[in-house]
Amino acid sequence: MKKKIKNEFDIKQMRISGKITANVLEMIKPYIIPDISTEDINQICHNYITLKKKAIPACLGYNNFPKSICISINDVVCHGIPNRKLFLKNGDIVNIDVSVIKNDYYTDASKMFFVGKVDKKNKILCKKTRKSLYLSLKCIKPNNKINNIGKIIQKYIEKNKFSVVKEYCGHGIGKKFHEFPHILHFYNKKNNIKMKKGMTFTIEPMVNTKSSYVKCMNDGWTIKTQDGGFSAQYEHTILVTKNGCEIITHQKKEKIPKIFINI
């Protein structure tokens, strides 16, 4: 399959979209408190995206997904469906996954939130998952093989006694939600295409406290750990630049730069 190389116009539009995606994750933080329903969180994000930012929530209606964002709590790995009967409670760890379309361009990002007082091991899980994504950014530059991303993530996560989910991966993104290439979060020697300046893709490691095995629930969307272990995920949309990369969905208060110089 052909690698999608973005031109300057594409990149400008994706930066606009990426800023909105980042803004949603910044905006929602004060609402992540005990006893709020996940549907209320979804509605707050939906209104912010559509009314304030004049953008489109990419998840809504995508392959019949019924809501505007994904909310995944504790042992839910990804694709959790917001529900007016599902309430956050003290001690939960929550992933909020936001994808928006602005001027026909997609961007995608997610992060973890803590509800009240969270168990130390689950805080460490989230911290190490985020760090694995951050570490992988240091290998992004033209002509480096894409499987180095997964190699770095897997090595770091397994060194810290957690496991990487292998069924789901990052993806190219631009004028389509999911484009080539696939970005695996574990090492696969066949996943060896070379990065090129102008490529845009997501990196989104999903990391479990116990085994890496997952199961799909009866709703056809919600993915949970098979053994009840907790799961964390962080995601950014990334642009390969001439000498490194740019985090298109970079958020305020992140402890890493928006631009990486890797050459």
Side-chain angles (χ1 to χ4, degrees):
M1 295 178 74
K2 189 178 179 182
K3 297 186 284 288
K4 302 276 188 178
I5 304 300
K6 308 303 189 295
N7 61 34
E8 283 304 314
F9 178 81
D10 298 327
I11 292 165
K12 182 180 178 182
Q13 297 305 316
M14 289 191 72
R15 285 180 179 135
I16 295 168
S17 175
K19 187 170 178 59
I20 295 170
T21 297
N23 289 162
V24 179
L25 290 169
E26 294 159 354
M27 174 277 302
I28 201 61
K29 188 177 190 296
Y31 298 96
I32 309 303
I33 56 174
D35 301 322
I36 189 171
S37 77
T38 56
E39 172 55 28
D40 282 347
I41 297 169
N42 175 75
Q43 198 59 51
I44 292 165
C45 289
H46 176 87
N47 290 344
Y48 183 84
I49 294 166
T50 59
L51 302 177
K52 180 113 182 185
K53 296 297 185 178
K54 310 299 183 194
I56 299 168
C59 290
L60 185 61
Y62 179 76
N63 288 343
N64 296 317
F65 189 81
K67 301 293 178 177
S68 295
I69 60 171
C70 299
I71 304 178
S72 303
I73 305 170
N74 298 338
D75 64 334
V76 178
V77 177
C78 59
H79 304 159
I81 301 173
N83 188 322
R84 63 186 175 84
K85 295 181 180 178
L86 180 62
F87 299 88
L88 300 187
K89 58 185 188 297
N90 186 56
D92 284 344
I93 60 171
V94 184
N95 178 270
I96 295 185
D97 191 346
V98 176
S99 306
V100 307
I101 312 165
K102 181 70 173 181
N103 301 331
D104 299 325
Y105 286 83
Y106 290 76
T107 51
D108 195 359
S110 82
K111 66 179 290 186
M112 300 301 295
F113 297 85
F114 299 151
V115 184
K117 190 173 181 182
V118 170
D119 180 82
K120 184 179 178 182
K121 183 174 183 182
N122 293 328
K123 281 188 174 180
I124 292 170
L125 167 70
C126 296
K127 184 179 178 182
K128 299 300 184 185
T129 303
R130 182 177 60 192
K131 182 73 179 290
S132 76
L133 167 55
Y134 288 176
L135 286 173
S136 75
L137 299 176
K138 296 177 180 179
C139 81
I140 298 178
K141 58 184 178 181
N143 296 317
N144 207 356
K145 290 181 179 177
I146 218 151
N147 58 13
N148 282 306
I149 295 170
K151 187 177 186 179
I152 289 168
I153 290 170
Q154 183 177 25
K155 182 179 179 182
Y156 181 76
I157 290 302
E158 292 180 354
K159 184 180 83 172
N160 283 280
K161 308 295 190 238
F162 296 119
S163 62
V164 178
V165 173
K166 296 180 174 66
E167 285 86 348
Y168 296 89
C169 62
H171 51 89
I173 190 166
K175 292 200 87 170
K176 292 183 179 177
F177 200 164
H178 296 91
E179 298 178 349
F180 190 74
H182 300 304
I183 308 295
L184 305 182
H185 305 117
F186 59 97
Y187 181 68
N188 182 321
K189 67 179 182 180
K190 293 181 180 178
N191 186 228
N192 63 355
I193 69 163
K194 290 183 177 179
M195 301 180 219
K196 299 293 181 188
K197 176 178 179 279
M199 288 175 70
T200 50
F201 49 75
T202 70
I203 304 175
E204 47 185 299
M206 301 168 207
V207 176
N208 299 346
T209 54
K210 296 182 180 179
S211 81
S212 64
Y213 299 114
V214 301
K215 59 186 177 183
C216 186
M217 307 311 288
N218 290 336
D219 61 26
W221 278 105
T222 305
I223 305 297
K224 288 191 173 187
T225 60
Q226 278 193 14
D227 53 20
F230 277 26
S231 189
Q233 181 191 19
Y234 284 82
E235 176 183 15
H236 271 306
T237 298
I238 306 298
L239 164 70
V240 182
T241 62
K242 66 179 180 180
N243 54 10
C245 68
E246 175 183 336
I247 307 171
I248 293 179
T249 48
H250 190 274
Q251 292 138 48
K252 294 172 190 168
K253 299 184 180 177
E254 288 205 61
K255 295 176 181 177
I256 53 166
K258 183 173 184 175
I259 307 290
F260 277 70
I261 306 298
N262 295 328
I263 292 176

